[in-house]
Amino acid sequence: MRRFVDQLVSDRLVMAVIVLNATALVLHEMAPRGSSMRALWFWIDYACVVFFLVEALIKIRRDGWPLYWASGWNRFDFVVVIVSLPALLGPFFAVSQFAFVLILRLGRLFRLFRVLRFIPNLDHLVTGIRRALRASIGVFLALLLINLILAVMATLLFRDLDPEHFGDPISSGYSIFQVFTVEGWNDIAENLETRAAETESNNAKLLVAGTRIFFVAAVLIGGILGLSLANAVFVDEMMMDNTQTLERKVDALTEEVRRLRDDLKT
Amino acid sequence: MRRFVDQLVSDRLVMAVIVLNATALVLHEMAPRGSSMRALWFWIDYACVVFFLVEALIKIRRDGWPLYWASGWNRFDFVVVIVSLPALLGPFFAVSQFAFVLILRLGRLFRLFRVLRFIPNLDHLVTGIRRALRASIGVFLALLLINLILAVMATLLFRDLDPEHFGDPISSGYSIFQVFTVEGWNDIAENLETRAAETESNNAKLLVAGTRIFFVAAVLIGGILGLSLANAVFVDEMMMDNTQTLERKVDALTEEVRRLRDDLKT
Amino acid sequence: MRRFVDQLVSDRLVMAVIVLNATALVLHEMAPRGSSMRALWFWIDYACVVFFLVEALIKIRRDGWPLYWASGWNRFDFVVVIVSLPALLGPFFAVSQFAFVLILRLGRLFRLFRVLRFIPNLDHLVTGIRRALRASIGVFLALLLINLILAVMATLLFRDLDPEHFGDPISSGYSIFQVFTVEGWNDIAENLETRAAETESNNAKLLVAGTRIFFVAAVLIGGILGLSLANAVFVDEMMMDNTQTLERKVDALTEEVRRLRDDLKT
Amino acid sequence: MRRFVDQLVSDRLVMAVIVLNATALVLHEMAPRGSSMRALWFWIDYACVVFFLVEALIKIRRDGWPLYWASGWNRFDFVVVIVSLPALLGPFFAVSQFAFVLILRLGRLFRLFRVLRFIPNLDHLVTGIRRALRASIGVFLALLLINLILAVMATLLFRDLDPEHFGDPISSGYSIFQVFTVEGWNDIAENLETRAAETESNNAKLLVAGTRIFFVAAVLIGGILGLSLANAVFVDEMMMDNTQTLERKVDALTEEVRRLRDDLKT
């Protein structure tokens, strides 16, 4: 019995159920609404939820609550199970509130993050990402601030020319973000230039030139400099490990030589 | 009283006022023109300007002018206050000159750069950026020169085919910059090819082939090689720190061993 | 005779035949169907296949099967020859099955991979790529999972608005991949926004805002963070070599100093 | 007299003339054809050519031919002067051959590359670029080969669906290059899908799926993997310097310790 229970919560089986669950979620959405296949995949998904509930209960009973809760992954699994519970009641009640159903369905997707546990070297990767993000937080805050300032600036300058992209600071911020990804920046600029050229001829040429300088500056600052900097900070942090190992080794060696010198003096 | 004044110019309060100022600037532009909300946010912005003026005066009185002016951040704050002063008179005069109002409004945005002071590890970041920019100045100058040469070349070659993008060297330079960002280079090339194919059939095929070679070369040089190089120089400079620390340590160790050898000789 | 045979399978001649083969394949497709040039290039390609068959037989006879098979490149060549054999019969049978002919033709292209053998420093490059791919497998698996989750999420949210891009999870996965390459993400988002704005006004604004947040998050996670991370892991692995050389040198030095200390003690 | 001649060929004056030449070339193209401004700038350009000719002659006379020719920059200057000579005769003959005039005009642009000499740290940069290019030649050759194979493959598969992009291997190669730059890959794929969906329904779905797999693979291999690899090789080579300095220092230190040990033994 005990052996059977251990196998039930073994990594292999859990992994297999998560993959089955992912397949069910995808194929459920692939099947036409109201088809019997859709119902089948729905119930397989339902069975997976029940399996995860049972798995969590078995683990809690086997390890005791404090030990179970000590693991970050277990806590994640437990939250997923709790969030899934209302979905278990779904089929027995006619829930007409659309938004509520949607949130329940989206919630099911988070179960798939359990797969992350089985990615090789995940700890190393997570440590690297966390350190890289912490180190590049300054770059990203600076980019956010520059985005904000450029957005308000663009609102003041281009609001009347292109209300769709720069009608209010939030739309402008979104457009500036797009310019920062370098994607379609030329379309936005060209659109503005065309409308600027359509206005009275006095300031038109100046406006076109100003627009181009504004966008070239935004692309250079956000898309080229910003991303390169973030990238450089990432690489720097990723490689810190190796350099620190080397530094520790050189430090140890220096210590060794100093001790040798002390030995000689005495 | 003293304690109250100190709190008035404390980092926390200043930070809060800057965030309030940013919010006011954004929401002022969000509100429809002439609405009472817009007026409210305008006066909050006005209050922020007054606060910054008072803060600068308090700091100057507390620290004395030489000490105050010694800090780069204080100088920046002071300039921001000076530039804001005309805006304080704004509501009392009917300023009809549109361009003047626009410059005043844009000037207000620079106040937000005060937030930069509160970014964690800003000094480290600024040092890194400054060193990276100084090291990559050669790459950028070379790219600018190549841009200029390609622009004049494109003007000579494509002026009659596509006057909109390559009508004069300045438009060409802007188009070549666009090609260097790899964004929409294919649209510009395709446009040229279509027009080249429409001309008499003798040179048409040659023109299409030449156009393609021109653009492939421009994308490879500017967009792939240029950006990769700039990126590599950035990473190189960012990591110089670590290697220099290591070099210093190894140098110190070598010194230690040499001293040990001298000890033994005597 | 022996010398002639050795020259027949020498690297230079094989290289030349591969280049001839590549030229024949390209020019065969360039020539209009049914032209005599097309027939010429077809028979040159045919001759190349016969050459490769003869080359493999000579090498097997010269080196013996076990020695021949021990080399990875020879195995690759042998497989290419085996796959090419049916093509030799092609001209003598009227093969009407279109798909079969297409596969035979595509198969011929793999012969060109033999050129890779002549790339300078290929071993070093392949080692680097293999190590980089193994190290970044975690990042790519994580991106694949996030792609899957975002795809199902997008299917649930946007299926009715834009069935072309998000009609089923597989189409959604393809669209999300496109967003991860940052290419045309704004067009997909704009398309959704336009359709969202066309629906009844109650939720339209919320839907537009939600759509924008969804796409900004997808671009940031997949296109900026994901690619930067993969890039950083690549650089990290590529440079591991140098650092490891250094570490070994420092280790050897430490050993030297320790031995010196032992010498002194005795 | 001697002093005046030295000043005439001093770096400062040459630099100034190059900048004047660049300005003349740009403004010459900016001016409307037949205007007096255009003539003015043409003669300024003409004067610059004469100046460069005189400068080369003075330098050759001062330094003697062998010493002059020993410098790479001088050789470049000399070639520029030789290439410019026919242009000096231009105004005195009515050259009606359009292509000849165009080549002469394009040739003038190469004079601007003389500015490169004045870029700070150019030698360091050129060394880095040359080493990086040599190291990444394998990656670029492999990408070229993959481009060729994918191009022939795409010609066989998509020729009938989209003759404009994939009608012959050379057009296909250009389209695949475009996919490798990640720019507009989705438009090409979408275009193919639309046409595939228009064919008879039997294979249409399979064709759409195959097309998507083909393009996702091409983007991943060329645009993501290829560029990341080239980037990693660049950074690796750029940083080799620092690591080599460190290695030399550690080697020297090891030598020092060994000598110390030898001293002790004797």
Side-chain angles (χ1 to χ4, degrees):
Chain A
M1 177 62 197
R2 168 108 204 184
R3 180 165 286 175
F4 170 74
V5 161
D6 275 358
Q7 266 183 343
L8 201 65
V9 299
S10 72
D11 276 1
R12 285 205 176 175
L13 187 62
V14 170
M15 180 77 180
V17 173
I18 295 171
V19 170
L20 176 71
N21 201 169
T23 318
L25 282 170
V26 169
L27 291 177
H28 177 254
E29 298 306 328
M30 295 290 289
R33 294 185 195 182
S35 69
S36 62
M37 282 311 286
R38 196 175 166 91
L40 173 67
W41 289 116
F42 176 82
W43 286 108
I44 288 177
D45 177 54
Y46 195 90
C48 292
V49 175
V50 172
F51 173 86
F52 289 141
L53 174 60
V54 171
E55 184 222 351
L57 292 176
I58 288 175
K59 275 197 173 169
I60 293 171
R61 222 184 131 185
R62 192 190 56 182
D63 301 341
W65 179 256
L67 192 63
Y68 176 83
W69 194 248
S71 149
W73 281 113
N74 282 346
R75 267 176 296 187
F76 176 69
D77 294 351
F78 189 77
V79 170
V80 160
V81 163
I82 294 295
V83 169
S84 302
L85 286 183
L88 287 178
L89 304 174
F92 309 113
F93 295 90
V95 193
S96 58
Q97 192 65 30
F98 174 73
F100 184 67
V101 172
L102 193 68
I103 286 168
L104 275 188
R105 281 188 181 171
L106 287 176
R108 295 185 313 181
L109 295 175
F110 289 99
R111 255 178 277 155
L112 300 187
F113 278 114
R114 291 191 60 176
V115 168
L116 279 175
R117 188 202 300 213
F118 302 103
I119 284 181
N121 286 325
L122 184 71
D123 283 346
H124 179 74
L125 200 66
V126 166
T127 317
I129 295 176
R130 202 177 290 166
R131 226 179 35 212
L133 286 180
R134 206 178 307 137
S136 57
I137 196 85
V139 180
F140 283 114
L141 274 181
L143 281 176
L144 192 70
L145 179 69
I146 293 170
N147 188 322
L148 176 71
I149 289 175
L150 287 178
V152 180
M153 204 181 267
T155 310
L156 289 169
L157 290 170
F158 305 132
R159 178 162 37 193
D160 301 320
L161 279 174
D162 185 355
E164 198 188 333
H165 284 108
F166 300 106
D168 58 89
I170 287 177
S171 296
S172 292
Y174 179 73
S175 302
I176 297 290
F177 172 77
Q178 190 181 322
V179 171
F180 278 13
T181 68
V182 194
E183 181 57 34
W185 73 269
N186 52 328
D187 290 335
I188 300 182
E190 211 169 302
N191 192 18
L192 273 174
E193 285 167 35
T194 318
R195 302 204 190 171
E198 282 166 4
T199 59
E200 85 285 16
S201 60
N202 271 359
N203 295 316
K205 275 212 161 178
L206 204 73
L207 242 150
V208 168
T211 305
R212 287 182 168 186
I213 290 169
F214 180 88
F215 278 93
V216 167
V219 167
L220 279 177
I221 292 172
I224 316 276
L225 261 184
L227 290 188
S228 280
L229 266 176
N231 213 345
V233 172
F234 265 50
V235 174
D236 193 20
E237 283 302 313
M238 276 299 207
M239 300 198 51
M240 205 75 100
D241 262 7
N242 309 329
T243 326
Q244 279 171 353
T245 312
L246 254 174
E247 280 187 25
R248 265 196 301 275
K249 282 190 173 176
V250 172
D251 285 351
L253 178 55
T254 312
E255 195 50 41
E256 192 84 8
V257 170
R258 243 171 235 157
R259 233 176 288 152
L260 174 64
R261 212 173 152 203
D262 290 350
D263 285 7
L264 282 174
K265 276 184 181 156
T266 56
Chain B
M1 178 61 197
R2 169 106 205 184
R3 177 165 290 177
F4 170 74
V5 161
D6 275 357
Q7 265 183 344
L8 201 64
V9 299
S10 72
D11 276 1
R12 284 208 176 172
L13 186 62
V14 171
M15 179 78 181
V17 174
I18 295 172
V19 170
L20 176 70
N21 201 170
T23 316
L25 282 169
V26 170
L27 291 177
H28 176 253
E29 299 306 327
M30 295 291 289
R33 294 184 195 183
S35 69
S36 63
M37 281 310 285
R38 196 174 167 91
L40 173 66
W41 290 117
F42 176 82
W43 286 108
I44 288 176
D45 177 54
Y46 195 91
C48 291
V49 176
V50 172
F51 173 86
F52 290 140
L53 174 61
V54 170
E55 183 221 351
L57 291 175
I58 288 175
K59 275 194 172 171
I60 292 170
R61 222 185 133 186
R62 192 190 55 183
D63 302 340
W65 180 258
L67 191 64
Y68 176 82
W69 194 249
S71 149
W73 280 114
N74 281 346
R75 268 176 294 187
F76 176 69
D77 293 352
F78 190 77
V79 170
V80 161
V81 162
I82 293 296
V83 169
S84 301
L85 285 184
L88 287 179
L89 303 173
F92 309 112
F93 295 91
V95 192
S96 58
Q97 193 65 31
F98 174 71
F100 184 68
V101 173
L102 194 66
I103 286 168
L104 274 189
R105 279 189 183 171
L106 288 176
R108 295 186 313 181
L109 294 175
F110 288 98
R111 254 178 277 155
L112 299 188
F113 278 113
R114 291 192 61 175
V115 169
L116 280 175
R117 188 202 299 212
F118 303 102
I119 283 182
N121 285 323
L122 183 72
D123 283 345
H124 179 73
L125 201 66
V126 166
T127 316
I129 294 176
R130 202 178 290 168
R131 226 176 37 211
L133 285 181
R134 206 178 306 138
S136 58
I137 196 85
V139 180
F140 283 114
L141 273 181
L143 282 177
L144 193 69
L145 178 69
I146 293 170
N147 189 322
L148 176 71
I149 290 175
L150 288 178
V152 179
M153 203 181 268
T155 310
L156 288 170
L157 290 170
F158 306 133
R159 176 162 38 192
D160 301 320
L161 280 174
D162 185 355
E164 198 188 333
H165 285 109
F166 300 105
D168 58 88
I170 287 176
S171 295
S172 292
Y174 179 73
S175 302
I176 297 290
F177 173 76
Q178 190 181 322
V179 171
F180 278 12
T181 67
V182 196
E183 180 59 33
W185 73 269
N186 52 328
D187 290 335
I188 299 181
E190 210 170 304
N191 192 18
L192 273 173
E193 286 167 35
T194 317
R195 302 204 191 171
E198 281 166 5
T199 60
E200 86 285 18
S201 60
N202 271 359
N203 295 317
K205 274 211 160 177
L206 204 74
L207 241 150
V208 168
T211 305
R212 286 183 170 185
I213 291 168
F214 180 87
F215 278 92
V216 168
V219 167
L220 280 177
I221 292 172
I224 316 275
L225 261 184
L227 290 188
S228 280
L229 266 175
N231 213 345
V233 172
F234 265 51
V235 173
D236 193 20
E237 284 301 314
M238 276 301 209
M239 300 196 53
M240 205 75 98
D241 262 8
N242 308 330
T243 326
Q244 279 171 353
T245 313
L246 254 174
E247 280 186 26
R248 265 197 301 275
K249 282 191 172 174
V250 171
D251 285 351
L253 178 54
T254 311
E255 195 51 41
E256 193 83 10
V257 170
R258 244 171 235 157
R259 231 177 290 153
L260 175 63
R261 212 172 151 203
D262 291 349
D263 285 8
L264 281 174
K265 275 182 183 158
T266 56
Chain C
M1 178 62 197
R2 168 103 205 187
R3 179 166 288 177
F4 169 75
V5 161
D6 274 0
Q7 267 184 343
L8 201 66
V9 300
S10 71
D11 275 2
R12 284 206 176 174
L13 186 64
V14 171
M15 180 76 182
V17 175
I18 295 172
V19 169
L20 176 70
N21 202 168
T23 317
L25 282 170
V26 168
L27 291 178
H28 175 254
E29 299 306 328
M30 294 290 290
R33 293 184 196 183
S35 70
S36 62
M37 282 309 286
R38 196 175 167 91
L40 174 68
W41 289 116
F42 177 81
W43 286 109
I44 288 176
D45 178 53
Y46 195 91
C48 292
V49 175
V50 172
F51 174 86
F52 290 141
L53 174 59
V54 171
E55 184 223 351
L57 291 176
I58 288 175
K59 275 196 173 170
I60 293 172
R61 223 183 130 185
R62 193 189 56 183
D63 301 341
W65 179 257
L67 192 63
Y68 176 84
W69 194 249
S71 149
W73 280 114
N74 282 345
R75 267 177 296 190
F76 176 69
D77 293 351
F78 190 78
V79 170
V80 160
V81 163
I82 293 294
V83 170
S84 301
L85 286 183
L88 287 179
L89 304 173
F92 309 113
F93 296 91
V95 194
S96 58
Q97 192 64 33
F98 174 73
F100 183 67
V101 173
L102 194 68
I103 286 169
L104 275 189
R105 281 189 181 169
L106 287 177
R108 296 185 313 181
L109 295 174
F110 288 97
R111 255 178 278 154
L112 299 188
F113 277 114
R114 290 190 61 176
V115 169
L116 280 175
R117 189 202 297 211
F118 303 102
I119 284 181
N121 286 324
L122 184 72
D123 283 346
H124 179 74
L125 200 66
V126 166
T127 316
I129 295 177
R130 202 179 289 166
R131 225 177 36 211
L133 285 180
R134 206 178 305 138
S136 58
I137 195 85
V139 179
F140 283 113
L141 273 181
L143 281 176
L144 192 70
L145 178 69
I146 292 170
N147 188 322
L148 177 72
I149 289 175
L150 287 178
V152 180
M153 203 181 268
T155 311
L156 289 169
L157 290 171
F158 305 132
R159 178 162 36 194
D160 302 320
L161 279 175
D162 185 354
E164 197 188 333
H165 284 109
F166 300 105
D168 57 89
I170 287 177
S171 296
S172 292
Y174 179 73
S175 303
I176 297 289
F177 172 77
Q178 190 182 322
V179 171
F180 278 13
T181 68
V182 194
E183 180 58 34
W185 74 266
N186 52 328
D187 291 334
I188 300 182
E190 209 169 306
N191 191 18
L192 273 173
E193 285 167 36
T194 317
R195 302 205 191 170
E198 282 166 4
T199 59
E200 84 285 17
S201 61
N202 271 359
N203 295 316
K205 275 212 160 176
L206 204 71
L207 243 150
V208 168
T211 305
R212 288 181 166 186
I213 291 169
F214 180 87
F215 278 93
V216 167
V219 167
L220 280 177
I221 292 172
I224 315 274
L225 260 185
L227 290 187
S228 280
L229 266 176
N231 213 345
V233 172
F234 266 50
V235 174
D236 192 21
E237 284 299 314
M238 277 299 208
M239 301 198 52
M240 204 75 96
D241 263 7
N242 309 330
T243 327
Q244 278 171 353
T245 313
L246 253 175
E247 281 187 23
R248 265 196 301 276
K249 282 191 173 175
V250 171
D251 286 350
L253 179 56
T254 311
E255 194 51 40
E256 194 84 8
V257 169
R258 245 171 232 155
R259 233 177 289 154
L260 175 66
R261 211 173 154 203
D262 290 351
D263 285 7
L264 282 173
K265 275 183 183 156
T266 57
Chain D
M1 176 63 196
R2 169 103 204 187
R3 179 165 288 176
F4 169 73
V5 162
D6 275 357
Q7 265 183 344
L8 201 65
V9 299
S10 71
D11 276 1
R12 283 209 176 172
L13 185 63
V14 171
M15 180 77 182
V17 174
I18 295 173
V19 169
L20 175 71
N21 201 168
T23 317
L25 281 169
V26 169
L27 291 177
H28 175 255
E29 300 306 327
M30 294 291 290
R33 294 183 196 185
S35 70
S36 62
M37 282 310 285
R38 196 175 168 92
L40 173 67
W41 290 117
F42 175 81
W43 287 108
I44 288 176
D45 177 54
Y46 194 90
C48 292
V49 176
V50 173
F51 173 85
F52 289 141
L53 173 61
V54 171
E55 184 222 352
L57 291 176
I58 289 175
K59 275 196 172 171
I60 293 171
R61 220 183 133 186
R62 193 189 55 182
D63 302 340
W65 179 257
L67 192 64
Y68 176 82
W69 194 250
S71 149
W73 280 113
N74 281 347
R75 268 176 295 189
F76 177 69
D77 293 353
F78 190 77
V79 170
V80 160
V81 163
I82 294 295
V83 171
S84 301
L85 287 183
L88 288 179
L89 304 172
F92 309 113
F93 295 91
V95 193
S96 58
Q97 192 64 33
F98 174 72
F100 184 68
V101 172
L102 193 67
I103 286 169
L104 275 188
R105 281 191 180 166
L106 286 177
R108 297 185 313 181
L109 294 175
F110 288 98
R111 256 178 277 154
L112 299 188
F113 277 114
R114 291 191 61 176
V115 169
L116 279 176
R117 190 202 296 212
F118 303 102
I119 283 181
N121 284 324
L122 184 72
D123 283 345
H124 179 73
L125 200 66
V126 166
T127 317
I129 294 177
R130 202 179 290 167
R131 225 177 38 210
L133 285 181
R134 205 179 307 138
S136 59
I137 196 85
V139 179
F140 283 114
L141 273 182
L143 281 177
L144 191 70
L145 178 70
I146 293 171
N147 188 322
L148 177 72
I149 290 175
L150 287 178
V152 180
M153 204 181 266
T155 310
L156 289 169
L157 290 170
F158 306 132
R159 177 162 37 192
D160 302 321
L161 280 174
D162 185 355
E164 197 189 333
H165 285 108
F166 300 105
D168 58 88
I170 287 177
S171 295
S172 292
Y174 179 74
S175 302
I176 297 290
F177 172 77
Q178 190 181 322
V179 171
F180 278 14
T181 67
V182 196
E183 180 56 35
W185 74 269
N186 52 328
D187 290 334
I188 299 182
E190 210 169 303
N191 191 18
L192 273 174
E193 285 167 35
T194 318
R195 301 205 191 171
E198 280 167 5
T199 60
E200 85 286 18
S201 60
N202 271 0
N203 295 316
K205 275 212 159 175
L206 205 72
L207 242 150
V208 168
T211 305
R212 287 182 168 185
I213 291 169
F214 180 87
F215 278 93
V216 167
V219 167
L220 280 177
I221 292 172
I224 316 276
L225 261 184
L227 290 187
S228 281
L229 267 176
N231 213 346
V233 171
F234 265 52
V235 174
D236 192 19
E237 284 300 315
M238 277 299 207
M239 301 199 51
M240 204 75 96
D241 262 8
N242 309 329
T243 325
Q244 278 171 353
T245 314
L246 253 174
E247 281 186 25
R248 266 197 301 276
K249 283 192 171 173
V250 171
D251 286 349
L253 179 56
T254 311
E255 195 51 41
E256 192 86 9
V257 169
R258 244 172 234 154
R259 233 176 290 153
L260 175 63
R261 212 173 153 205
D262 290 349
D263 285 7
L264 282 172
K265 275 183 184 158
T266 56

